[in-house]
Amino acid sequence: MGSVPSMLTQYDIEEVQKYCNTLFSQEEIVALYQRFCQLDHNAKGFISADEFLSVPEFAMNPLSQRLLKMVDGLNFKDFVAFLSAFSAKASPQQKIELIFKVYDSDRHGKVSLKDMVEVLKDLSGPFISDEQREVLGQSNLKMRVEVPVE
């Protein structure tokens, strides 16, 4: 499933379901495939960061630049896997792992004070000073949680 076939076969749908721990029904996978094809403007078989930014809700998200690092170049199977963390059926562990990846921008397996301050900057914009972010980051870091990422 590296490139996007013109139609999903039953085998493709079942393969994506297994890959995503059956968090989506077959009908939902077909709908996600249609959305994927709409976003994949040049039918390359993957979605670029620019194509993700064409979704207004994504572009307006204050963490969109962090999310873009995670989604740039996703094929359909990985697109569905990424979205599975947002599903109501996703486990708390899956949701935590996604949030952890958003915060751990340097991908070293830990959320550092620097990571916390960067996320706070993304979320608060010019409304909080760097000094205030540093204090908030330090207080949040005291609740340090390390989540094993697969």
Side-chain angles (χ1 to χ4, degrees), residues 74-142:
L74 291 183
N75 63 26
F76 176 64
K77 212 157 92 169
D78 292 331
F79 171 75
V80 175
F82 172 76
L83 293 177
S84 68
F86 297 97
S87 167
K89 299 176 201 169
S91 71
Q93 180 69 22
Q94 288 171 297
K95 293 175 185 288
I96 289 168
E97 287 177 8
L98 175 69
I99 293 166
F100 185 86
K101 288 176 185 176
V102 169
Y103 276 71
D104 182 23
S105 62
D106 55 11
R107 305 285 184 255
H108 70 290
K110 295 180 182 173
V111 176
S112 67
L113 176 59
K114 180 181 175 219
D115 292 330
M116 291 293 294
V117 171
E118 287 177 9
V119 169
L120 287 170
K121 187 174 186 175
D122 291 344
L123 292 173
S124 65
F127 302 108
I128 297 178
S129 71
D130 288 340
E131 293 79 25
Q132 290 170 315
R133 283 188 203 101
E134 188 89 18
V135 169
L136 285 170
Q138 287 175 349
S139 64
N140 284 327
L141 208 53
K142 289 178 184 172

